[in-house]
Amino acid sequence: MLTNLLATIHDPADLRRLPRAQLKALAGEVRDCVLHNVSKTGGHLSSNLGTVELTIALHHVFNTPYDRLVWDVGHQTYAHKILTGRRERMTTLRQFGGLSGFPRRIESGYDTFGAGHSSTSISAALGMALAARHKGEDRKTVAVIGDGALTGGMAFEALNNAGVERDARLLVVLNDNDMSISPPVGALNRYLAQLMSGQFYAAAKNVGKTVLGPVPPLFELAKRLEQQAKGMVVPATLFETFGFNYIGPIDGHDLDSLIPTLENIRDLMSRQAGPQFLHVVTKKGQGYKLAEADPVAYHGPGKFDPAVGLVQPATAPRPTFTQVFGQWLCDMAAADERLIGITPAMREGSGMVEFHQRFPGRYHDVGIAEQHAVTFAAGLACEGLKPVVAIYSTFLQRAYDQLIHDVAIQNLPVLFALDRAGLVGADGATHAGNYDIAYLRCIPNVSVACPADERECRQLLTTAYQHGGPVAVRYPRGAGAGVQPLDDLSALPFGQAEVRRQGERVAILAFGTLLYPALEAAGRLNASVVNMRWAKPLDAALLLDVAARHDLLVTVEEGAIMGGAGSAVAETLNAAGIAKPLLQLGLADQFIEHGDPAHLLALQGLDAAGIEASIRARLDAAARPAASALAGA
């Protein structure tokens, strides 16, 4: 029978009023809502389809938002958004001015902690739980973390801290959708999971400790028997070693198992029985057969027809920078057996699938462990190998200490292939690579290359690989100007820029892919254009020559103005004692919202029209004092 339960749910209080018998039907409606909206806007699909029942159960059992629900990463929060008053705005998901694809505190009171990077939920949730204790509040806190995010060292640091807080009302839910664990099905498993979360089991454990504690041999025997009994259904007792009461694994799509288990855990938390850990097994893409069959392809699809699924475009699109890197990596690996490829859990996103297939012994996915990835690369470099770390610009931020201490101070030849440099569009501020020029160029020994197009990207990767120290090559998401890469592994001169257009009065110094809108603007201004190619080292000789022949210098970069490439130009001019008008164009000192990348660049004045307008405004402003002086004379 058709129902329309979802239309009656405006917030989790409405959900909690529904009879449990209707929740399965509601789950189907929520899943349809997720699929329908993502197919229209694009977004993260597989992981969100897999957490529908878990989301319903959590909001049904816990008194959110009084009880805090902290999501890790945010790839699994679409059902949460739908159930917390944002269903009608799901059509704006990841669109400019619309809903974020991640939890955001300013978006809803139910989003208790903003998260775009992984492995933060347990730390944040522990902080909230201990804040409640400090304030004398009886609220409960739940962290939901995926098995991938659990590979992050920060998650284990938080577990280690939380395990000693015996009176913290904290529950960690492991949403396991990828581990090689047999699905926990059947009535016996459901019964045992509920039993281990119930009052009788907890009381029995405490009585055992009290009665048998004074007799160590008996206590140890009882403890081993307990572990053996739990081992029939529990894959590991690692989390109990951390001090958590481990429950599960249970089927994350079985509401008849989830809800009673969560209710028992909630009651344990009310009695301050220490931190709890619930292991839930879910399936990516649940309920949509195409996503179930290929969860990777449907992890973050663009717009598509749900009835048809993803289809290949009729004409082959231009290669992306990511694909250019992936091809270069394979070609260089074939030419140099010392090359080792490293990724922190971003094989597909960083273009390393073919490399993994062709060179499996030289491919290392270290999990969501960016700090380890960088120091691991440093260790390889110490032994004469040539590590290439393929990492998003925004994720390298998480390994800044390792970059400085383990790579730069030792001046090791590690190549960082920085994907997603600059604005990333729909993923928004958490994923934007706006800061890499600023945070890299201040580190001694580190060089930063900014290719303008696909051909330069391949050539500068070779240049960086051949250099004897750490180099980052930054390139944006998606395709570039369409300049076909050369087939060979030729390099460009290290640290050298090139003049691309000769003009008068104004010289535009372009860093990266904004060279092309700069050329367009220069054509209307009759300005000179220099393709700088390197943010560090700057081509100081060419810069000073250009400065001597022009009245106004303009720097253009898809990165933060503060401390960026324009600042490097200003420092170089100042060091040479040259006072020259300098206009710095780049990304403003603000977190830039999600939206279409071209639209966002235009709003920042970094399209051709914006660059031209900024230069004309500066020229007009400079002309006014001169005109006033002539009038006064």
Side-chain angles (χ1 to χ4, degrees):
M1 182 178 68
L2 294 177
T3 62
N4 191 21
L5 293 170
L6 189 54
T8 69
I9 306 299
H10 304 289
D11 58 44
D14 294 329
L15 171 63
R16 288 189 280 272
R17 284 191 285 268
L18 281 183
R20 189 186 299 178
Q22 292 185 304
L23 296 182
K24 291 181 181 178
L26 177 65
E29 294 182 26
V30 172
R31 186 165 278 112
D32 289 343
C33 184
V34 169
L35 178 59
H36 171 77
N37 282 288
V38 173
S39 71
K40 296 292 190 294
T41 65
H44 295 99
L45 183 61
S46 297
S47 51
N48 279 293
L49 291 176
T51 55
V52 171
E53 287 84 3
L54 176 59
T55 305
I56 289 173
L58 287 168
H59 280 296
H60 183 78
V61 171
F62 290 94
N63 183 29
T64 57
Y66 179 78
D67 290 334
R68 308 306 195 205
L69 180 55
V70 182
W71 296 93
D72 205 287
V73 184
H75 292 169
Q76 50 195 351
T77 57
Y78 292 2
H80 165 78
K81 288 176 182 278
I82 290 167
L83 295 170
T84 54
R86 288 168 278 182
R87 173 173 52 85
E88 294 183 356
R89 296 192 63 210
M90 288 295 289
T91 56
T92 70
L93 185 68
R94 292 160 51 93
Q95 311 299 303
F96 183 73
L99 292 179
S100 169
F102 303 100
R104 297 187 73 194
R105 285 171 56 83
I106 62 173
E107 189 176 288
S108 170
Y110 291 92
D111 291 0
T112 60
F113 196 78
H117 289 184
S118 80
S119 312
T120 62
S121 61
I122 304 175
S123 297
L126 177 61
M128 294 176 186
L130 296 190
R133 183 183 71 185
H134 177 76
K135 295 189 291 183
E137 299 169 342
D138 64 352
R139 71 174 81 246
K140 302 166 184 66
T141 306
V142 181
V144 183
I145 187 168
D147 54 287
L150 200 62
T151 65
M154 187 175 175
F156 283 92
E157 292 173 16
L159 288 171
N160 186 56
N161 187 187
V164 300
E165 300 292 347
R166 302 309 305 162
D167 57 348
R169 291 186 168 97
L170 173 68
L171 165 63
V172 174
V173 177
L174 170 60
N175 173 31
D176 175 1
N177 55 24
D178 208 22
M179 289 182 176
S180 54
I181 299 172
S182 300
V185 296
L188 176 61
N189 186 281
R190 180 187 301 176
Y191 169 75
L192 288 173
Q194 293 180 33
L195 177 65
M196 284 189 288
S197 66
Q199 182 175 359
F200 173 79
Y201 180 79
K205 288 174 67 176
N206 290 331
V207 168
K209 291 176 182 177
T210 302
V211 174
L212 300 178
V215 190
L218 292 179
F219 178 73
E220 287 303 315
L221 174 61
K223 185 175 180 181
R224 284 197 296 271
L225 289 173
E226 175 197 344
Q227 290 174 345
Q228 183 178 3
K230 292 183 71 174
M232 288 186 263
V233 291
V234 177
T237 56
L238 168 66
F239 302 105
E240 292 208 336
T241 303
F242 276 109
F244 283 75
N245 178 41
Y246 178 95
I247 301 151
I250 64 173
D251 185 349
H253 303 296
D254 182 359
L255 286 166
D256 290 333
S257 177
L258 270 175
I259 291 177
T261 301
L262 285 170
E263 288 173 339
N264 285 333
I265 294 173
R266 179 195 61 198
D267 295 342
L268 282 174
M269 295 168 75
S270 295
R271 295 192 297 276
Q272 295 183 318
Q276 307 293 312
F277 193 102
L278 175 62
H279 185 166
V280 173
V281 177
T282 62
K283 184 175 184 180
K284 289 182 178 178
Q286 175 73 13
Y288 182 51
K289 296 300 182 183
L290 295 174
E292 289 181 14
D294 192 352
V296 173
Y298 286 87
H299 170 70
K303 300 177 183 180
F304 67 99
D305 182 351
V308 177
L310 301 178
V311 296
Q312 294 294 328
T315 58
R318 290 181 300 178
T320 64
F321 281 95
T322 302
Q323 291 169 329
V324 169
F325 163 73
Q327 187 60 56
W328 172 86
L329 188 67
C330 290
D331 293 344
M332 185 58 78
D336 188 349
E337 64 180 12
R338 296 174 300 166
L339 186 149
I340 305 293
I342 302 168
T343 177
M346 295 302 297
R347 185 187 73 154
E348 287 77 15
S350 293
M352 297 183 72
V353 173
E354 183 180 351
F355 176 80
H356 182 200
Q357 294 168 346
R358 290 178 57 184
F359 305 97
R362 294 154 66 184
Y363 166 83
H364 297 276
D365 182 347
V366 301
I368 304 177
E370 294 87 357
Q371 295 173 317
H372 165 63
V374 172
T375 303
F376 171 53
L380 291 167
C382 284
E383 298 300 318
L385 298 181
K386 299 282 286 185
V388 178
V389 181
I391 189 169
Y392 290 8
S393 169
T394 184
F395 295 151
L396 185 57
Q397 295 164 187
R398 311 188 87 185
Y400 197 57
D401 181 73
Q402 288 70 26
L403 177 63
I404 294 173
H405 281 250
D406 301 334
V407 176
I409 288 178
Q410 303 184 93
N411 198 25
L412 294 171
V414 177
L415 169 56
F416 296 94
L418 294 194
D419 206 323
R420 273 64 166 179
L423 298 176
V424 293
D427 282 335
T430 58
H431 283 59
N434 298 357
Y435 315 108
D436 50 70
I437 294 177
Y439 74 66
L440 287 171
R441 75 176 192 85
C442 64
I443 306 173
N445 293 332
V446 175
S447 301
V448 184
C450 309
D453 52 44
E454 300 89 337
R455 179 176 296 179
E456 279 196 356
C457 185
R458 182 176 170 95
Q459 291 175 305
L460 287 174
L461 284 165
T462 299
T463 306
Y465 185 78
Q466 293 173 348
H467 184 61
V471 185
V473 180
R474 71 183 306 265
Y475 47 88
R477 182 177 190 173
V483 181
Q484 182 66 31
L486 301 175
D487 292 333
D488 61 19
L489 289 169
S490 59
L492 292 170
F494 189 88
Q496 288 190 20
E498 63 165 357
V499 176
R500 289 290 291 264
R501 188 185 192 279
Q502 291 285 1
E504 299 177 350
R505 295 189 62 199
V506 177
I508 304 175
L509 313 177
F511 294 84
T513 56
L514 293 186
L515 169 69
Y516 289 92
L519 284 167
E520 185 180 341
R524 295 193 284 267
L525 294 163
N526 192 26
S528 298
V529 177
V530 180
N531 176 20
M532 294 300 291
R533 283 184 179 152
W534 294 86
K536 183 185 179 183
L538 287 181
D539 190 339
L542 181 57
L543 171 60
L544 297 181
D545 177 67
V546 169
R549 295 185 289 105
H550 294 82
D551 300 327
L552 173 66
L553 299 180
V554 182
T555 60
V556 181
E557 59 189 302
E558 191 176 340
I561 293 177
M562 296 184 68
S567 296
V569 169
E571 292 160 10
T572 303
L573 294 174
N574 183 62
I578 296 175
K580 180 71 65 173
L582 175 64
L583 172 62
Q584 295 173 234
L585 302 180
L587 301 177
D589 183 28
Q590 64 188 68
F591 291 113
I592 298 172
E593 299 299 311
H594 50 276
D596 176 72
H599 179 58
L600 295 177
L601 282 173
L603 290 176
Q604 292 287 311
L606 294 176
D607 59 349
I611 293 169
E612 179 187 358
S614 295
I615 294 173
R616 289 193 185 278
R618 175 59 64 89
L619 291 173
D620 290 345
R624 283 194 293 271
S628 298
L630 288 173

